Amino acid sequence: MKRIKLGLIFVLILLSLLWWQADPLLLQGDRFFAVRKLVVNYTGVLAMGVMSFAMVLALRPVILEPLLGGLDKGYRLHKWLGISGLVLGVTHWLWGKGPKWAVGWGWLERPQRGPRPEQTVEIFRFFQEQRGLAETIGEWAFYAFVIAAAIALTKRFPYRRFFQIHRVLAVVYLALVVHSVILLPFSYWGTAVGVVMGVLMAAGSYAAVKSLRGQIGRSHRAAAEIETLVRHPGNQVLEVGLRLKSPWRGHDAGQFAFVTFDRREGPHPFTISSAWKGDGRLVFMIKALGDYTKSLPETLSVGSPVEVEGPYGRFDFSGDQAHQIWVAGGIGITPFIARLQGLAGEPSHPPVDLFYSTSALDENFIASIRELAERARVRLHVLIADRDGRLDADGICRRVPDWQAAGLWFCGPAGFGQALRRAFSAKGFAEERFHQELFEMR
């Protein structure tokens, strides 16, 4: 979470400093309308800047994963950049439209304007002639952006709508680029903010076009077919085994992939729950959490074609601590299953305590995890919520006496992870030793 906050703050400060360097902040003429002009320009630069950064992150750039701490963190930053763009866009719109309304209602008097100076640069003369059209495009694109962003942020809408609305947002973004290029003050283009905004909007437009053409992540895609299907009815988990039919670059335990079972539904992210053995096989354990995942046991069949995109993520198990603590909540056990399979083939490794907290008792599923833990020489602690109560930091510390010298890896419900992070932080546990998968993509 720290990297996400720092990333958002960095983008806002960078754009603010560049804008401040380009605009002299001289309040000439009527003071209110001079302030209005500054605010409109400033919020316009910030809004398009953060939306452009968000569009670039939508490309799933693997090169940025080490900096951001994984694609899951990148998507969380993408979300907050989008929210920031929405807030800034509303502010920009209000400062643009509000004074016009106030003039119409007789609350303000519009200052007298002299004739505009003749524009000698041909492209800027063209832009000046298109200002009315650009304002109209921007206004309607803004309304569409507000509606689409509200739908994207509302979890009541099914995931396929979330996937589809992002295609709409790509079109809206391109319209806002037209609006911004024409209306950005001409004096900005010869400064650093003009150069940076030009690069950002070009990169964002490239990302938008790739999104509209369905090409995001294309170089990371592999064809596969369903080889096995195993139901675990006790905890409503479907184990899907895939056989790859095209090259796969391999993966590490803790990584995930986007899996497309139905092209109309689009790709869904699932953690890979098998270690890579170079045999062309992948396993995913999918919990029935929504309408789509609940329908998979009835809609999937052995031999059906599947598309897999990845691997992504930096939820790795590297660290120089002498002890590792793993905490899994519910279906959050999946990355640890992959790691257990990998450790089973290693001659030695630091001691590991795995805490698996679940509210669904499936004896066969738990038995398979026990077997894996024994083979990997990992100490397993299974806690059934109704029987053993909720797992907390004190319970972990009692079972792991040297917890202060350990690193902790958590995967599970976000609220559970936040509570553990706060509790361990209060005990003096270093923030950088608490690793958490932020697997919510919306």
Side-chain angles (χ1 to χ4, degrees):
M1 291 299 290
K2 187 175 181 181
R3 294 191 188 190
I4 297 169
K5 293 176 183 176
L6 289 176
L8 179 58
I9 292 170
F10 170 78
V11 171
L12 292 173
I13 290 178
L14 173 64
L15 293 171
S16 297
L17 290 175
L18 291 173
W19 172 81
W20 179 75
Q21 181 269 334
D23 204 305
L25 303 180
L26 296 178
L27 302 181
Q28 300 174 344
D30 183 278
R31 186 176 181 85
F32 175 81
F33 280 91
V35 170
R36 169 184 179 259
K37 181 179 179 181
L38 287 176
V39 174
V40 167
N41 289 340
Y42 178 52
T43 54
V45 167
L46 287 187
M48 282 307 298
V50 297
M51 283 191 280
S52 298
F53 270 109
M55 288 302 301
V56 171
L57 289 177
L59 288 173
R60 301 171 191 157
V62 176
I63 193 172
L64 293 181
E65 285 204 67
L67 179 64
L68 298 172
L71 185 65
D72 58 316
K73 313 299 189 300
Y75 263 89
R76 191 61 62 90
L77 177 58
H78 167 85
K79 172 183 175 180
W80 283 107
L81 286 168
I83 292 172
S84 300
L86 178 61
V87 173
L88 289 164
V90 170
T91 305
H92 178 80
W93 176 78
L94 286 173
W95 274 90
K97 302 290 286 188
K100 294 181 180 179
W101 296 335
V103 169
W105 297 332
W107 296 355
L108 286 175
E109 183 176 347
R110 187 186 299 275
Q112 295 295 321
R113 289 181 181 176
R116 291 181 183 271
E118 184 178 354
Q119 185 55 247
T120 59
V121 180
E122 187 65 31
I123 185 66
F124 290 160
R125 184 184 298 119
F126 173 75
F127 285 173
Q128 201 169 63
E129 295 170 353
Q130 306 304 317
R131 288 183 65 87
L133 176 62
E135 289 176 354
T136 301
I137 291 174
E139 183 174 356
W140 286 103
F142 166 74
Y143 298 146
F145 175 58
V146 170
I147 295 170
I151 294 173
L153 293 169
T154 303
K155 294 185 178 181
R156 288 186 178 182
F157 287 92
Y159 185 89
R160 66 179 178 275
R161 300 296 179 222
F162 170 78
F163 175 72
Q164 293 164 353
I165 208 67
H166 272 68
R167 297 286 180 88
V168 175
L169 284 169
V171 176
V172 170
Y173 173 80
L174 292 173
L176 290 172
V177 167
V178 173
H179 167 84
S180 302
V181 168
I182 293 175
L183 295 182
L184 191 74
F186 300 148
S187 61
Y188 285 14
W189 288 112
T191 67
V193 73
V195 174
V196 170
M197 289 300 294
V199 170
L200 283 176
M201 288 190 288
S205 298
Y206 170 76
V209 171
K210 289 203 73 171
S211 174
L212 290 171
R213 298 181 65 182
Q215 294 179 337
I216 291 179
R218 184 173 62 176
S219 62
H220 296 272
R221 295 177 190 169
E225 68 177 19
I226 298 176
E227 187 174 47
T228 59
L229 291 168
V230 179
R231 291 195 190 192
H232 299 279
N235 57 2
Q236 293 185 301
V237 169
L238 178 66
E239 184 177 328
V240 182
L242 302 182
R243 175 80 179 199
L244 293 165
K245 302 179 71 176
S246 56
W248 178 257
R249 66 189 63 192
H251 63 271
D252 297 322
Q255 291 192 295
F256 66 93
F258 289 90
V259 184
T260 303
F261 294 114
D262 182 349
R263 292 192 179 278
R264 293 171 300 179
E265 177 70 23
H268 281 247
F270 299 111
T271 299
I272 304 170
S273 56
S274 58
W276 178 244
K277 300 176 182 177
D279 60 356
R281 288 181 168 85
L282 300 176
V283 176
F284 296 90
M285 292 187 175
I286 301 171
K287 175 77 171 179
L289 296 173
D291 292 341
Y292 174 69
T293 49
K294 287 179 181 177
S295 71
L296 291 180
E298 284 70 42
T299 57
L300 299 186
S301 59
V302 173
S304 297
V306 178
E307 187 174 76
V308 185
E309 179 197 328
Y312 296 110
R314 301 277 298 180
F315 189 69
D316 56 34
F317 295 86
S318 60
D320 56 4
Q321 288 80 32
H323 199 125
Q324 291 192 357
I325 300 171
W326 304 348
V327 182
I331 197 59
I333 190 64
T334 49
F336 302 112
I337 290 176
R339 183 57 176 161
L340 287 173
Q341 294 176 4
L343 289 183
E346 294 184 9
S348 63
H349 58 78
V352 178
D353 280 83
L354 168 58
F355 292 83
Y356 175 39
S357 177
T358 178
S359 59
L361 180 59
D362 189 303
E363 294 290 356
N364 292 331
F365 188 79
I366 293 175
S368 65
I369 296 174
R370 289 190 189 279
E371 181 182 353
L372 277 175
E374 289 176 6
R375 286 166 48 200
R377 303 173 307 284
V378 166
R379 191 163 63 156
L380 177 65
H381 312 264
V382 177
L383 294 95
I384 310 301
D386 293 340
R387 183 189 68 196
D388 305 307
R390 187 177 179 85
L391 178 65
D392 57 19
D394 290 336
I396 293 172
C397 294
R398 283 195 303 270
R399 293 173 173 86
V400 186
D402 63 341
W403 61 271
Q404 291 176 310
L408 193 150
W409 282 258
F410 173 86
C411 187
F416 184 13
Q418 291 169 5
L420 280 182
R421 183 186 290 272
R422 286 194 297 265
F424 272 99
S425 179
K427 292 176 179 290
F429 196 78
E431 170 97 11
E432 61 272 14
R433 290 194 284 128
F434 192 106
H435 311 274
Q436 182 175 357
E437 181 81 283
L438 301 177
F439 206 63
E440 290 186 359
M441 296 293 171
R442 53 188 298 193

Short mmCIF file of all heavy atoms in Angstrom, two decimals, residues 30-65:
data_model
loop_
_atom_site.label_atom_id
_atom_site.label_comp_id
_atom_site.label_asym_id
_atom_site.label_seq_id
_atom_site.Cartn_x
_atom_site.Cartn_y
_atom_site.Cartn_z
N ASP A 30 -9.93 40.87 -13.98
CA ASP A 30 -10.86 40.51 -12.90
C ASP A 30 -10.28 39.35 -12.09
O ASP A 30 -9.93 38.31 -12.63
CB ASP A 30 -12.20 40.11 -13.50
CG ASP A 30 -13.23 39.78 -12.43
OD1 ASP A 30 -13.20 38.64 -11.93
OD2 ASP A 30 -14.04 40.66 -12.10
N ARG A 31 -10.17 39.55 -10.76
CA ARG A 31 -9.46 38.59 -9.93
C ARG A 31 -10.13 37.21 -9.95
O ARG A 31 -9.46 36.19 -10.07
CB ARG A 31 -9.37 39.10 -8.49
CG ARG A 31 -8.52 38.21 -7.58
CD ARG A 31 -8.38 38.82 -6.20
NE ARG A 31 -7.55 37.97 -5.37
CZ ARG A 31 -6.22 38.01 -5.35
NH1 ARG A 31 -5.58 38.85 -6.14
NH2 ARG A 31 -5.53 37.22 -4.55
N PHE A 32 -11.48 37.18 -9.83
CA PHE A 32 -12.17 35.89 -9.79
C PHE A 32 -11.96 35.12 -11.08
O PHE A 32 -11.63 33.93 -11.07
CB PHE A 32 -13.66 36.08 -9.53
CG PHE A 32 -14.44 34.80 -9.59
CD1 PHE A 32 -14.47 33.94 -8.51
CD2 PHE A 32 -15.10 34.42 -10.76
CE1 PHE A 32 -15.17 32.73 -8.58
CE2 PHE A 32 -15.80 33.22 -10.83
CZ PHE A 32 -15.83 32.38 -9.73
N PHE A 33 -12.14 35.78 -12.21
CA PHE A 33 -12.02 35.07 -13.48
C PHE A 33 -10.56 34.72 -13.79
O PHE A 33 -10.30 33.75 -14.50
CB PHE A 33 -12.63 35.90 -14.62
CG PHE A 33 -14.13 35.80 -14.67
CD1 PHE A 33 -14.92 36.70 -13.96
CD2 PHE A 33 -14.74 34.78 -15.38
CE1 PHE A 33 -16.31 36.58 -13.99
CE2 PHE A 33 -16.13 34.66 -15.41
CZ PHE A 33 -16.91 35.57 -14.71
N ALA A 34 -9.62 35.47 -13.23
CA ALA A 34 -8.22 35.11 -13.38
C ALA A 34 -7.91 33.84 -12.59
O ALA A 34 -7.20 32.94 -13.08
CB ALA A 34 -7.32 36.26 -12.90
N VAL A 35 -8.47 33.75 -11.36
CA VAL A 35 -8.30 32.54 -10.56
C VAL A 35 -8.98 31.36 -11.26
O VAL A 35 -8.42 30.25 -11.31
CB VAL A 35 -8.89 32.74 -9.15
CG1 VAL A 35 -8.95 31.41 -8.40
CG2 VAL A 35 -8.06 33.75 -8.37
N ARG A 36 -10.16 31.61 -11.81
CA ARG A 36 -10.87 30.55 -12.53
C ARG A 36 -10.01 29.99 -13.67
O ARG A 36 -9.93 28.77 -13.86
CB ARG A 36 -12.18 31.10 -13.09
CG ARG A 36 -12.89 30.16 -14.08
CD ARG A 36 -14.12 30.82 -14.66
NE ARG A 36 -14.79 29.95 -15.63
CZ ARG A 36 -14.67 30.09 -16.95
NH1 ARG A 36 -13.89 31.06 -17.44
NH2 ARG A 36 -15.30 29.27 -17.76
N LYS A 37 -9.38 30.87 -14.42
CA LYS A 37 -8.55 30.42 -15.54
C LYS A 37 -7.40 29.55 -15.06
O LYS A 37 -7.12 28.48 -15.64
CB LYS A 37 -8.00 31.63 -16.28
CG LYS A 37 -7.13 31.27 -17.49
CD LYS A 37 -6.64 32.54 -18.19
CE LYS A 37 -5.74 32.17 -19.38
NZ LYS A 37 -5.23 33.38 -20.07
N LEU A 38 -6.76 29.95 -13.96
CA LEU A 38 -5.66 29.16 -13.41
C LEU A 38 -6.14 27.78 -12.95
O LEU A 38 -5.51 26.76 -13.23
CB LEU A 38 -5.02 29.90 -12.23
CG LEU A 38 -4.15 31.12 -12.55
CD1 LEU A 38 -3.69 31.78 -11.26
CD2 LEU A 38 -2.95 30.71 -13.39
N VAL A 39 -7.27 27.75 -12.23
CA VAL A 39 -7.78 26.48 -11.70
C VAL A 39 -8.19 25.55 -12.83
O VAL A 39 -7.94 24.34 -12.79
CB VAL A 39 -8.96 26.73 -10.73
CG1 VAL A 39 -9.57 25.39 -10.30
CG2 VAL A 39 -8.49 27.51 -9.52
N VAL A 40 -8.85 26.10 -13.86
CA VAL A 40 -9.27 25.27 -14.99
C VAL A 40 -8.06 24.66 -15.69
O VAL A 40 -8.04 23.47 -16.02
CB VAL A 40 -10.12 26.11 -15.98
CG1 VAL A 40 -10.29 25.37 -17.30
CG2 VAL A 40 -11.48 26.42 -15.38
N ASN A 41 -7.02 25.50 -15.92
CA ASN A 41 -5.81 24.97 -16.56
C ASN A 41 -5.13 23.92 -15.69
O ASN A 41 -4.70 22.87 -16.18
CB ASN A 41 -4.84 26.11 -16.85
CG ASN A 41 -5.31 27.01 -17.97
OD1 ASN A 41 -6.15 26.62 -18.78
ND2 ASN A 41 -4.77 28.22 -18.03
N TYR A 42 -5.02 24.20 -14.40
CA TYR A 42 -4.32 23.30 -13.48
C TYR A 42 -5.05 21.97 -13.34
O TYR A 42 -4.44 20.89 -13.47
CB TYR A 42 -4.21 23.98 -12.11
CG TYR A 42 -3.54 23.15 -11.04
CD1 TYR A 42 -2.30 22.56 -11.24
CD2 TYR A 42 -4.17 22.96 -9.81
CE1 TYR A 42 -1.69 21.81 -10.24
CE2 TYR A 42 -3.57 22.22 -8.80
CZ TYR A 42 -2.33 21.64 -9.02
OH TYR A 42 -1.74 20.89 -8.04
N THR A 43 -6.36 22.01 -13.10
CA THR A 43 -7.11 20.76 -12.95
C THR A 43 -7.16 19.99 -14.26
O THR A 43 -7.20 18.76 -14.26
CB THR A 43 -8.54 21.03 -12.44
OG1 THR A 43 -9.19 21.98 -13.31
CG2 THR A 43 -8.51 21.59 -11.01
N GLY A 44 -7.16 20.71 -15.38
CA GLY A 44 -7.14 20.03 -16.67
C GLY A 44 -5.86 19.25 -16.88
O GLY A 44 -5.87 18.10 -17.34
N VAL A 45 -4.72 19.88 -16.54
CA VAL A 45 -3.43 19.20 -16.67
C VAL A 45 -3.37 17.98 -15.75
O VAL A 45 -2.96 16.88 -16.15
CB VAL A 45 -2.28 20.18 -16.34
CG1 VAL A 45 -0.96 19.42 -16.14
CG2 VAL A 45 -2.12 21.20 -17.46
N LEU A 46 -3.78 18.17 -14.49
CA LEU A 46 -3.73 17.05 -13.53
C LEU A 46 -4.66 15.92 -13.96
O LEU A 46 -4.28 14.74 -13.91
CB LEU A 46 -4.11 17.53 -12.13
CG LEU A 46 -3.11 18.38 -11.36
CD1 LEU A 46 -3.60 18.61 -9.93
CD2 LEU A 46 -1.73 17.74 -11.32
N ALA A 47 -5.88 16.26 -14.36
CA ALA A 47 -6.86 15.22 -14.72
C ALA A 47 -6.36 14.39 -15.90
O ALA A 47 -6.38 13.15 -15.86
CB ALA A 47 -8.21 15.85 -15.05
N MET A 48 -5.90 15.04 -16.97
CA MET A 48 -5.43 14.29 -18.13
C MET A 48 -4.12 13.57 -17.83
O MET A 48 -3.87 12.48 -18.36
CB MET A 48 -5.24 15.23 -19.32
CG MET A 48 -6.53 15.60 -20.01
SD MET A 48 -7.55 14.17 -20.49
CE MET A 48 -6.48 13.31 -21.63
N GLY A 49 -3.30 14.15 -16.96
CA GLY A 49 -2.05 13.48 -16.59
C GLY A 49 -2.28 12.18 -15.86
O GLY A 49 -1.72 11.14 -16.22
N VAL A 50 -3.16 12.20 -14.84
CA VAL A 50 -3.38 10.97 -14.06
C VAL A 50 -4.14 9.94 -14.90
O VAL A 50 -3.89 8.74 -14.78
CB VAL A 50 -4.12 11.26 -12.74
CG1 VAL A 50 -3.28 12.17 -11.84
CG2 VAL A 50 -5.49 11.88 -12.96
N MET A 51 -5.06 10.40 -15.75
CA MET A 51 -5.78 9.45 -16.60
C MET A 51 -4.84 8.81 -17.62
O MET A 51 -4.98 7.63 -17.96
CB MET A 51 -6.95 10.14 -17.30
CG MET A 51 -8.16 10.35 -16.39
SD MET A 51 -9.64 10.86 -17.30
CE MET A 51 -9.30 12.60 -17.53
N SER A 52 -3.87 9.58 -18.10
CA SER A 52 -2.89 9.02 -19.04
C SER A 52 -2.02 7.99 -18.36
O SER A 52 -1.74 6.92 -18.92
CB SER A 52 -2.04 10.15 -19.63
OG SER A 52 -2.83 11.06 -20.36
N PHE A 53 -1.57 8.27 -17.14
CA PHE A 53 -0.81 7.28 -16.38
C PHE A 53 -1.64 6.02 -16.16
O PHE A 53 -1.14 4.90 -16.27
CB PHE A 53 -0.38 7.86 -15.02
CG PHE A 53 0.95 8.56 -15.04
CD1 PHE A 53 1.03 9.93 -14.92
CD2 PHE A 53 2.13 7.84 -15.16
CE1 PHE A 53 2.25 10.59 -14.93
CE2 PHE A 53 3.36 8.48 -15.17
CZ PHE A 53 3.41 9.86 -15.05
N ALA A 54 -2.92 6.20 -15.85
CA ALA A 54 -3.81 5.05 -15.63
C ALA A 54 -3.93 4.22 -16.90
O ALA A 54 -3.94 2.98 -16.85
CB ALA A 54 -5.18 5.53 -15.16
N MET A 55 -4.03 4.87 -18.05
CA MET A 55 -4.14 4.14 -19.31
C MET A 55 -2.87 3.34 -19.58
O MET A 55 -2.94 2.20 -20.06
CB MET A 55 -4.40 5.11 -20.46
CG MET A 55 -5.78 5.73 -20.49
SD MET A 55 -7.13 4.51 -20.59
CE MET A 55 -6.70 3.66 -22.11
N VAL A 56 -1.71 3.91 -19.28
CA VAL A 56 -0.45 3.19 -19.49
C VAL A 56 -0.40 1.95 -18.59
O VAL A 56 0.02 0.87 -19.03
CB VAL A 56 0.75 4.12 -19.21
CG1 VAL A 56 2.06 3.33 -19.20
CG2 VAL A 56 0.81 5.22 -20.27
N LEU A 57 -0.85 2.08 -17.34
CA LEU A 57 -0.86 0.93 -16.43
C LEU A 57 -1.83 -0.15 -16.90
O LEU A 57 -1.64 -1.33 -16.59
CB LEU A 57 -1.22 1.38 -15.01
CG LEU A 57 -0.15 2.19 -14.28
CD1 LEU A 57 -0.65 2.62 -12.90
CD2 LEU A 57 1.14 1.39 -14.12
N ALA A 58 -2.86 0.25 -17.65
CA ALA A 58 -3.82 -0.73 -18.17
C ALA A 58 -3.17 -1.67 -19.18
O ALA A 58 -3.72 -2.74 -19.48
CB ALA A 58 -5.01 -0.02 -18.81
N LEU A 59 -1.99 -1.31 -19.71
CA LEU A 59 -1.27 -2.19 -20.63
C LEU A 59 -0.64 -3.40 -19.93
O LEU A 59 -0.08 -4.26 -20.59
CB LEU A 59 -0.17 -1.40 -21.35
CG LEU A 59 -0.61 -0.37 -22.40
CD1 LEU A 59 0.59 0.43 -22.89
CD2 LEU A 59 -1.29 -1.07 -23.57
N ARG A 60 -0.72 -3.42 -18.58
CA ARG A 60 -0.08 -4.48 -17.79
C ARG A 60 1.42 -4.56 -18.06
O ARG A 60 1.94 -5.63 -18.41
CB ARG A 60 -0.74 -5.84 -18.06
CG ARG A 60 -2.23 -5.86 -17.75
CD ARG A 60 -2.88 -7.14 -18.24
NE ARG A 60 -4.34 -7.03 -18.18
CZ ARG A 60 -5.18 -7.75 -18.90
NH1 ARG A 60 -4.71 -8.64 -19.75
NH2 ARG A 60 -6.48 -7.59 -18.80
N PRO A 61 2.12 -3.43 -17.92
CA PRO A 61 3.56 -3.42 -18.24
C PRO A 61 4.38 -4.21 -17.22
O PRO A 61 4.53 -3.79 -16.08
CB PRO A 61 3.92 -1.93 -18.20
CG PRO A 61 2.90 -1.31 -17.30
CD PRO A 61 1.64 -2.12 -17.47
N VAL A 62 4.89 -5.34 -17.66
CA VAL A 62 5.68 -6.20 -16.77
C VAL A 62 6.92 -5.48 -16.29
O VAL A 62 7.39 -5.70 -15.16
CB VAL A 62 6.06 -7.51 -17.50
CG1 VAL A 62 6.97 -8.37 -16.64
CG2 VAL A 62 4.81 -8.28 -17.88
N ILE A 63 7.45 -4.56 -17.10
CA ILE A 63 8.68 -3.86 -16.76
C ILE A 63 8.53 -3.01 -15.49
O ILE A 63 9.50 -2.73 -14.80
CB ILE A 63 9.14 -2.99 -17.95
CG1 ILE A 63 10.57 -2.51 -17.75
CG2 ILE A 63 8.20 -1.82 -18.15
CD1 ILE A 63 11.15 -1.81 -18.95
N LEU A 64 7.28 -2.60 -15.18
CA LEU A 64 7.05 -1.78 -13.99
C LEU A 64 6.74 -2.59 -12.75
O LEU A 64 6.65 -2.02 -11.65
CB LEU A 64 5.89 -0.80 -14.26
CG LEU A 64 6.13 0.29 -15.30
CD1 LEU A 64 4.90 1.18 -15.42
CD2 LEU A 64 7.35 1.13 -14.95
N GLU A 65 6.59 -3.90 -12.88
CA GLU A 65 6.22 -4.73 -11.72
C GLU A 65 7.24 -4.63 -10.58
O GLU A 65 6.85 -4.52 -9.42
CB GLU A 65 6.01 -6.18 -12.15
CG GLU A 65 4.70 -6.39 -12.89
CD GLU A 65 4.21 -7.83 -12.78
OE1 GLU A 65 3.84 -8.25 -11.67
OE2 GLU A 65 4.20 -8.54 -13.81
#
